[in-house]
């Protein structure tokens, strides 16, 4: 570490240091003189001493110029700037503090605070962005009523939006105009938002069940207006769903969503004025895939649901982030499940958890769902907080059952409304409403790491014994783990008859080891465990390939069928990658054939069930990840499946063509067809490229076009370049679609992907300035296991170089892309050394952000 970084080594914020705020700010009036180059912000804070103490008022601030400070209407100069913050001595218990600051939105490349995105001025304040707009008590437990006035050039910024309801607007006659908004709900500063721009609106309406008429608006640039119907429809569906399922109504007269092209995350739940990454708003059949449509519905719902789980009840401090995020992800998963196939949704949620959260839990950046400390809070918007957090809520729902879970949720909203709450508050409500003891369950909030459960079943004399043992591996800072409370749904099936031998049981495993007894078991039982993925754990069982194949065909829980197939495939792939043993391929082929042949299964489920586990998930099962061996094994099994089931794939592919429609059924058929195309390509090699190219050219929707382009991009025929060129010329002006063009090449399984990605980074359309574009190339490459982990370390070097450059523009986005380099412990010594060298280079770089420093230094320590 060089001296500069050592000196700048960031302070650590600890949960145990939480103290209530010294000053409250019940009301704030903000006056913006908006201009991209130079915006003047005048604020008027009514402040109240909180408790008996003599401390001055301390306000957070960053990246602004302070012009004036007034206390009770009088200019003062006894204030000081301290570590970026503003300290003002105040004698009494209640004062009015007025500030005037200048900020430069145009030069804000971090995209935190007020910034410009393609001519639109917008804000992002979570977690600590508001302090980049003006000095403020920028913490989630200070709730204020906001009144906002904006003045701006009327031609450039004809639309002026803020939180709450519009209360006044006027034309100033000099080419400028003004608008005022008032938000009657006290909120923390992270939920503040304003937007100014030349926007058009797709308007909708929703009447709440108690009769409030809400005006809905999706605001975008004029050219994008035709792509907003799906977002608007999704919003209306989400509003109705939250009333129906959680009894939650909307509470303002307007609800606006604005799409911007430059955004660090997916979207933001600002009160009454959600700001979205345009990729989660804009869709039409020609430019968005089914996956995009689904993601839009999920994110629109997620942000809307935050109005209760996040805004009405917010977080006391950022350690409680999962209070709003875990619960809201759980809520949006419920919504998505009700919109389409619940089984496929669960499969996708588990796939996401395994792809992003399990590796996090097993690596150097592992942290509990309620962390103990952080350097930079932006680094904690993780799969652990979001996705594992959602699994915690799901486990409580499983333990309580639906009615009591709903009662717990009602109690929580009622009791905590208008407050800044803690994860503990939530658990306490569940405990109270459910009449259960969740003492041991609380460990899920404090212990990092994915529990592993060993399960083995024995049978004699009409009795089955299920022996379960649990252990959680050590994680950084937590060498010793206590046993967790694991809700495991278990069922036994008869190996001869295929019948269920008893009803499903919910086993609450709390001890390190337990034996569960099943009586009346008259034939050899086959174990179905962790059904529906009832606990986010790894199951290690001694089930044979034959038993897994049996479950994949006979289990009555669709998730368990999928899971059995995955395990069967994994076992076969690991055996091949590690020992070159391909003896289990036959069992996989037979099981896949059974699944394809089962008329009771819908196409969407069949498509998911027959997909091989990802290369990285296979790697997660090995003690040392061998990316090349994994790739070879996976390709071999893909080819075997392609060849041996050629007729079935052809049949699945050749079904009747239908014009595009976005319905669950049509979506499922498209999915199965594109999966079939992938297998046909695996079997026929270049011969299938023609088929893919024909599909590429004939497609009337982006799902089929991308399905074909993916196959072509992995292949070697001339048609590959042709298709990529056609795609590029057709969509070069559409940023979101061009992202797909970069991404499909960065994810390619070809041998030359590393070289191609380095060249694409110099493409005139590539820029690190736009987070979506950066993620589409750099982020995608980082998760392309084989290409990224090329033996010579050139992938690591490339990523490190890109991250160092990106860090100067946008530290948050750079830090998000670092974890690929932190997986060094999982690889052989040579690769590990190369990765560590790059991490050390990053840690030692001058002028590094706090964001990237934290991720890189923790990854290096491991
Ligand atoms: N609360 C948002 C996520 C979010 C977090 C930080 C951001 O800052 C750049 C933006 C968005 C959500 O859960 O959707
Ligand atoms: Zn969220």
């Amino acid at each position: 570490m060089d001296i500069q970084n050592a000196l700048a080594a960031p302070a650590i914020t600890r949960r145990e240091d939480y103290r209530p705020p010294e000053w409250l700010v019940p009301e704030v009036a903000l006056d913006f003189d908006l201009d991209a180059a130079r915006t003047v912000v005048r604020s008027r804070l009514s402040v109240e001493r909180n408790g008996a103490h003599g401390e001055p008022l301390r306000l957070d601030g960053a990246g602004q110029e302070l012009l004036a400070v007034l206390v009770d209407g009088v200019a003062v100069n006894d204030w000081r700037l301290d570590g970026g913050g503003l300290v003002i001595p105040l004698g009494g218990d209640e004062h009015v503090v007025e500030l005037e600051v200048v900020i430069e939105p145009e030069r804000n490349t971090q995209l935190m605070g007020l910034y410009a995105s393609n001519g639109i001025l917008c804000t992002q304040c979570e977690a600590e962005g508001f302090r980049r707009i003006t000095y403020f008590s920028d913490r989630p437990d200070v709730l204020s009523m906001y009144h906002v006035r904006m003045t701006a050039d009327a031609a450039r910024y004809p639309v002026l939006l803020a939180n709450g309801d519009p209360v006044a607007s006027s034309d100033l006659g000099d080419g400028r105009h003004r608008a005022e908004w008032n938000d009657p709900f006290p909120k923390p500063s992270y939920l503040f938002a304003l937007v100014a721009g030349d926007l058009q609106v797709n308007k909708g309406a929703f009447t709440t069940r108690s009769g409030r008429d809400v005006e809905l608006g999706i605001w975008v640039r004029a050219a994008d207006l035709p792509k907003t119907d799906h977002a608007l429809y999704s919003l209306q569906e989400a509003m109705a769903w939250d009333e129906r399922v959680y009894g939650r109504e909307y509470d303002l007269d307007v609800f606006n969503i604005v799409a911007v092209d430059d955004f660090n995350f997916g979207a933001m739940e600002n009160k009454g004025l959600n700001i979205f990454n345009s990729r989660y708003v804009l869709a039409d059949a020609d430019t968005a895939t089914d996956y995009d449509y689904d993601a839009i519905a999920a994110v629109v719902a997620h942000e809307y649901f935050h109005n209760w789980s996040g805004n009405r009840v917010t977080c006391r401090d950022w350690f409680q982030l999962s209070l709003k995020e875990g619960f809201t992800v759980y809520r949006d998963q419920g919504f998505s499940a009700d919109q389409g196939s619940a089984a496929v949704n669960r499969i996708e949620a588990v796939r996401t958890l395994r792809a992003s959260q399990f590796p996090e839990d097993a690596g150097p950046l592992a942290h509990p769902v309620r962390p103990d400390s952080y350097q930079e809070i932006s680094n904690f918007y993780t799969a652990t907080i979001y996705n594992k957090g959602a699994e915690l809520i799901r486990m409580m729902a499983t333990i309580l059952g639906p009615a009591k879970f709903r009662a717990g949720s009602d109690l929580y909203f009622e009791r905590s409304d208008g407050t800044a709450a803690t994860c503990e508050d939530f658990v306490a409500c569940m405990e109270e409403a459910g009449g259960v003891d969740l003492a041991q369950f609380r460990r899920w909030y404090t212990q990092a790491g994915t529990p592993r459960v060993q399960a083995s079943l024995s049978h004699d004399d009409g009795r089955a014994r299920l022996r379960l043992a649990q252990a959680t591996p050590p994680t950084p800072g937590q060498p010793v783990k206590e046993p967790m409370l694991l809700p495991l749904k278990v069922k036994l099936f008869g190996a001869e008859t295929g019948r269920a031998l008893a009803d499903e049981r919910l086993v609450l495993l709390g001890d390190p080891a337990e034996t569960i007894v099943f009586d009346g078991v008259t034939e050899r039982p086959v174990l179905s465990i962790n059904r529906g993925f009832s606990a986010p754990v790894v199951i290690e069982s001694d089930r044979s390939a034959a038993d897994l194949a049996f479950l994949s065909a006979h289990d009555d829980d669709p998730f368990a069928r999928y899971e059995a197939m995955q395990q069967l495939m994994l076992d076969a792939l690991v055996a091949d990658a590690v020992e070159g043993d391909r003896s289990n391929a036959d069992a996989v082929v037979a099981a896949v054939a059974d699944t394809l042949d089962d008329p009771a299964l819908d196409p969407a489920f069949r498509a998911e069930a027959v997909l091989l586990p990802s290369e990285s998930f296979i790697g997660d099962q090995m003690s040392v990840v061998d990316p090349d061996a994994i790739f070879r094994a996976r390709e071999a099994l893909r080819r075997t499946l392609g060849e041996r089931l050629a007729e079935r794939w052809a049949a699945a592919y050749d079904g009747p063509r239908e014009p595009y429609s976005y319905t669950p059924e049509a979506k499922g058929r498209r999915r199965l067809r594109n999966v079939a195309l992938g297998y046909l390509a695996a079997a026929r090699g270049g011969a299938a490229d023609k088929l893919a190219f024909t599909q590429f050219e004939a497609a009337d929707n982006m799902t089929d076009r991308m399905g074909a382009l993916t196959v072509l991009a992995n292949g070697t025929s001339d048609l590959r370049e042709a298709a990529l060129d056609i795609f590029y010329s057709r969509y070069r002006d559409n940023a979101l679609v061009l992202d797909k063009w970069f991404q499909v090449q960065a994810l390619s399984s070809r041998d030359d992907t590393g070289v191609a990605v380095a060249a694409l980074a110099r493409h005139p359309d590539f820029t690190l300035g736009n987070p979506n574009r950066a993620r589409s190339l750099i982020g995608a490459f980082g998760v392309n296991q084989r290409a990224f982990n090329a033996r010579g370390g050139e992938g690591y070097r490339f990523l490190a170089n890109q991250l160092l450059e990106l860090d100067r523009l946008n530290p948050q986005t750079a830090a998000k892309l670092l974890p690929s380099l932190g997986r060094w412990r999982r690889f052989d010594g040579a690769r590990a050394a190369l990765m560590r060298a790059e991490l050390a280079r990053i840690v030692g770089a001058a002028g590094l952000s706090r964001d990237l420093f934290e991720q890189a230094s923790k990854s290096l320590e491991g």
Side-chain angles (χ1 to χ4, degrees):
M1 194 193 304
D2 78 14
I3 191 80
Q4 212 167 343
N5 274 316
L7 291 176
I12 296 176
T13 307
R14 292 178 207 283
R15 182 162 57 86
E16 64 194 18
D17 291 341
Y18 173 81
R19 300 286 175 277
E22 286 162 348
W23 289 85
L24 302 177
V25 189
E27 279 181 44
V28 51
L30 297 169
D31 186 0
F32 288 87
D33 207 340
L34 290 167
D35 181 81
R38 185 175 189 276
T39 287
V40 179
V41 187
R42 294 181 190 85
S43 60
R44 187 175 189 280
L45 283 52
S46 59
V47 301
E48 274 177 27
R49 200 179 292 274
N50 190 28
H53 64 78
E55 296 299 317
L57 176 67
R58 286 192 180 84
L59 301 176
D60 308 293
Q64 61 203 285
E65 187 191 343
L66 179 58
L67 299 185
V69 180
L70 284 79
V71 174
D72 299 325
V74 179
V76 296
N77 51 19
D78 55 349
W79 51 267
R80 66 191 157 87
L81 291 177
D82 179 14
L86 173 61
V87 184
I88 311 174
L90 293 175
D93 288 345
E94 288 185 18
H95 293 278
V96 173
V97 172
E98 289 168 90
L99 306 172
E100 185 174 332
V101 306
V102 174
I103 50 180
E104 300 176 313
E106 215 167 57
R107 299 183 56 187
N108 180 350
T109 60
Q110 301 185 18
L111 314 182
M112 286 296 283
L114 180 66
Y115 65 94
S117 174
N118 283 336
I120 300 171
L121 291 176
C122 65
T123 54
Q124 174 52 42
C125 295
E126 186 176 8
E128 297 181 337
F130 191 77
R131 64 186 61 188
R132 296 171 50 80
I133 295 176
T134 184
Y135 291 97
F136 199 74
S137 197
D138 194 15
R139 45 187 287 170
D141 58 350
V142 171
L143 308 189
S144 318
M145 292 241 275
Y146 282 70
H147 187 94
V148 177
R149 192 167 86 160
M150 294 163 282
T151 308
D153 183 282
R156 247 180 237 201
Y157 307 112
V159 173
L160 300 173
L161 307 171
N163 311 96
D165 298 313
V167 288
S169 64
S170 56
D171 187 341
L172 300 185
D174 56 354
R176 294 169 69 74
H177 72 143
R178 174 173 283 172
E180 287 181 50
W181 290 70
N182 190 62
D183 183 358
F185 290 93
K187 65 169 176 286
S189 54
Y190 83 87
L191 290 173
F192 168 80
L194 75 73
V195 172
D198 187 1
L199 300 165
Q200 300 286 316
V201 62
N202 185 356
K203 276 202 169 145
F206 185 85
T207 304
T208 66
R209 64 177 182 185
S210 63
R212 175 191 291 271
D213 288 321
V214 187
E215 198 177 295
L216 313 176
I218 314 287
W219 299 81
V220 296
R221 276 180 313 235
D224 290 329
L225 206 54
K227 297 184 187 157
T228 51
D229 284 344
H230 178 60
L232 181 58
Y233 169 78
S234 302
L235 175 60
Q236 289 161 326
E237 290 287 295
M239 293 176 87
W241 188 90
D242 212 18
E243 292 189 348
R244 210 166 56 239
V245 179
Y246 282 86
R248 299 293 116 199
E249 279 188 41
Y250 189 60
D251 51 11
L252 287 166
D253 297 334
V254 299
F255 186 87
N256 286 319
I257 288 178
V258 180
V260 298
D261 297 331
D262 303 278
F263 201 78
N264 283 346
F265 284 68
M268 181 62 212
E269 70 263 25
N270 319 299
K271 184 79 188 189
L273 177 56
N274 288 188
I275 297 179
F276 272 58
N277 185 327
S278 52
R279 68 175 293 194
Y280 294 112
V281 174
L282 306 178
D284 63 17
D286 184 52
T287 56
T289 61
D290 292 333
Y291 179 84
D292 295 327
Y293 272 81
D294 291 350
I296 288 169
V299 177
V300 166
H302 179 99
E303 305 310 330
Y304 173 73
F305 295 157
H306 268 315
N307 190 54
W308 275 96
S309 48
N311 302 3
R312 289 289 287 258
V313 184
T314 191
C315 300
R316 188 192 72 172
D317 54 68
W318 291 121
F319 296 104
Q320 319 298 327
L321 183 56
S322 196
L323 173 70
K324 73 178 178 82
E325 296 305 346
F327 189 25
T328 304
V329 170
Y330 176 72
R331 280 151 54 68
D332 82 54
Q333 288 175 348
F335 170 76
S336 296
D338 288 351
Q339 294 286 104
S341 156
V344 171
N345 268 286
R346 187 64 186 138
I347 289 170
E348 282 170 354
V350 173
R351 194 176 279 153
T352 303
L353 189 80
R354 285 175 169 157
S356 51
Q357 201 280 323
F358 278 21
E360 190 167 276
D361 238 352
L365 299 173
H367 54 276
V369 169
R370 185 180 52 212
D372 297 316
S373 68
Y374 58 75
Q375 293 175 15
E376 171 50 59
I377 182 56
S378 302
N379 287 333
F380 284 77
Y381 287 77
T382 59
T384 297
I385 303 294
Y386 276 69
N387 303 71
K388 186 174 181 180
E391 295 300 320
L392 269 54
I393 310 295
R394 184 178 299 273
M395 284 190 282
M396 286 189 268
T398 300
I399 294 169
L400 267 67
K404 286 180 176 168
F405 177 74
R406 170 64 197 272
S409 149
D410 288 350
L411 180 63
Y412 166 70
F413 284 126
E414 190 193 320
R415 190 176 278 174
S416 314
D417 190 11
T419 72
T422 62
C423 297
E424 173 53 31
D425 294 331
F426 186 92
V427 178
C429 287
M430 288 298 155
E431 203 163 39
E432 193 174 321
V436 291
D437 177 357
L438 295 173
Q440 187 183 5
F441 182 84
R442 284 173 171 80
R443 281 186 194 143
W444 278 105
Y445 282 94
T446 58
Q447 273 194 175
T450 306
R452 305 183 86 86
V453 176
Q454 284 188 349
S456 66
L457 189 66
S458 59
H459 174 235
D460 61 69
D461 266 355
R463 180 167 275 194
R465 283 188 179 78
L466 173 61
R467 193 178 146 72
L468 298 171
Q470 62 158 308
T472 303
T475 54
Q478 293 187 337
V480 181
K481 306 284 184 176
E482 304 292 329
M484 307 284 268
L485 186 70
L486 311 178
L488 296 169
K489 289 186 178 169
V490 174
K491 194 165 178 175
L492 302 183
F493 292 90
E496 282 104 61
T497 59
R499 280 189 306 110
L501 298 178
D503 289 344
E504 178 179 276
R505 271 208 216 170
L506 179 64
V507 175
L508 295 179
L509 178 66
D511 290 335
E514 275 176 47
T515 298
I516 318 290
V517 177
F518 298 80
D519 285 316
V521 178
T522 48
E523 57 182 305
R524 186 177 74 82
V526 179
L527 171 66
S528 170
I529 185 166
N530 208 19
R531 297 156 63 76
F533 207 67
S534 57
V537 302
V538 174
I539 301 285
E540 294 164 352
S541 79
D542 48 8
R543 290 172 296 181
S544 65
D547 282 355
L548 292 170
F550 167 89
L551 288 170
S552 82
H554 295 285
D555 204 311
D556 56 10
D557 171 31
F559 179 82
R561 283 181 78 155
Y562 159 82
E563 190 71 344
M565 177 81 92
Q566 284 286 296
Q567 193 61 54
L568 180 64
M569 289 170 166
L570 270 180
D571 291 348
L573 289 162
V574 172
D576 186 3
V578 176
E579 301 158 41
D581 167 7
R582 294 195 176 163
S583 60
N584 275 338
D586 288 348
V588 175
V589 171
V592 169
D594 282 347
T595 297
L596 289 173
D597 291 346
D598 189 338
L601 297 173
D602 63 53
F605 178 85
R606 273 184 272 161
E608 294 304 323
V610 303
L611 277 183
L612 291 178
S614 70
E615 287 168 54
S616 54
F617 190 50
I618 301 166
D620 292 342
Q621 321 304 312
M622 296 167 63
S623 49
V624 177
V625 182
D626 181 342
D628 301 312
I630 290 169
F631 178 75
R632 267 197 309 277
R634 192 170 181 279
E635 284 307 293
L637 187 53
R638 251 163 50 76
R639 198 172 329 111
T640 303
L641 284 164
E643 284 166 0
R644 303 259 305 271
L645 304 176
E647 278 162 29
R648 285 178 175 83
W649 300 124
Y653 187 76
D654 291 336
R657 297 291 178 266
E658 53 185 322
Y660 175 83
S661 70
Y662 176 72
T663 62
E665 296 74 27
K667 225 167 61 180
R669 287 190 290 270
R670 266 193 296 280
R671 180 90 176 116
L672 183 56
R673 216 176 135 232
N674 281 301
V675 168
L677 177 64
Y679 276 112
L680 288 171
R684 296 186 202 162
D689 284 5
K690 275 210 187 68
L691 200 62
F693 193 76
T694 307
Q695 172 172 324
F696 175 78
E697 289 203 297
D700 68 348
N701 65 83
M702 186 52 83
T703 305
D704 287 339
R705 199 170 293 126
M706 278 311 292
L709 189 62
T710 303
V711 165
L712 290 164
N714 291 337
T716 50
S717 78
D718 296 346
L719 295 171
R720 173 185 201 269
E721 290 311 310
L724 284 168
D725 287 349
I726 294 170
F727 193 92
Y728 175 79
S729 354
R730 180 160 171 186
Y731 295 111
R732 58 182 303 172
D733 296 325
N734 183 322
L736 295 175
V737 183
L738 205 52
D739 290 339
K740 298 181 192 301
W741 184 82
F742 279 100
Q743 187 181 27
V744 77
Q745 297 179 73
L747 291 176
S748 170
S749 58
R750 281 166 59 103
D751 295 340
D752 62 356
T753 291
V755 177
V757 167
L760 283 168
R762 297 187 296 269
H763 191 281
D765 288 306
F766 183 72
T767 168
L768 289 170
N770 174 265
N772 288 354
R773 187 58 49 83
R775 287 185 282 254
S776 73
L777 186 69
I778 314 300
F781 178 64
V783 298
N784 184 337
Q785 182 164 277
R786 188 169 71 114
F788 176 62
N789 294 292
R791 219 169 257 294
E794 55 271 27
Y796 308 146
R797 208 146 40 241
F798 171 78
L799 180 64
N801 286 338
Q802 295 291 323
L803 294 186
L804 285 169
E805 198 178 329
L806 179 53
D807 191 50
R808 287 196 283 273
L809 296 172
N810 187 331
Q812 262 186 24
T813 300
K816 271 259 166 229
L817 303 182
L818 183 111
S820 303
L821 271 176
R823 305 194 60 219
W824 56 269
R825 260 181 206 283
R826 304 281 305 117
F827 289 81
D828 58 88
R831 284 191 173 92
L834 289 163
M835 276 191 239
R836 287 178 56 83
E838 295 305 325
L839 286 169
R841 188 158 70 88
I842 293 174
V843 169
L848 204 64
S849 72
R850 182 158 76 160
D851 309 59
L852 197 56
F853 177 83
E854 178 176 33
Q855 300 285 84
S857 58
K858 286 182 175 171
S859 298
L860 193 55
E861 285 157 22

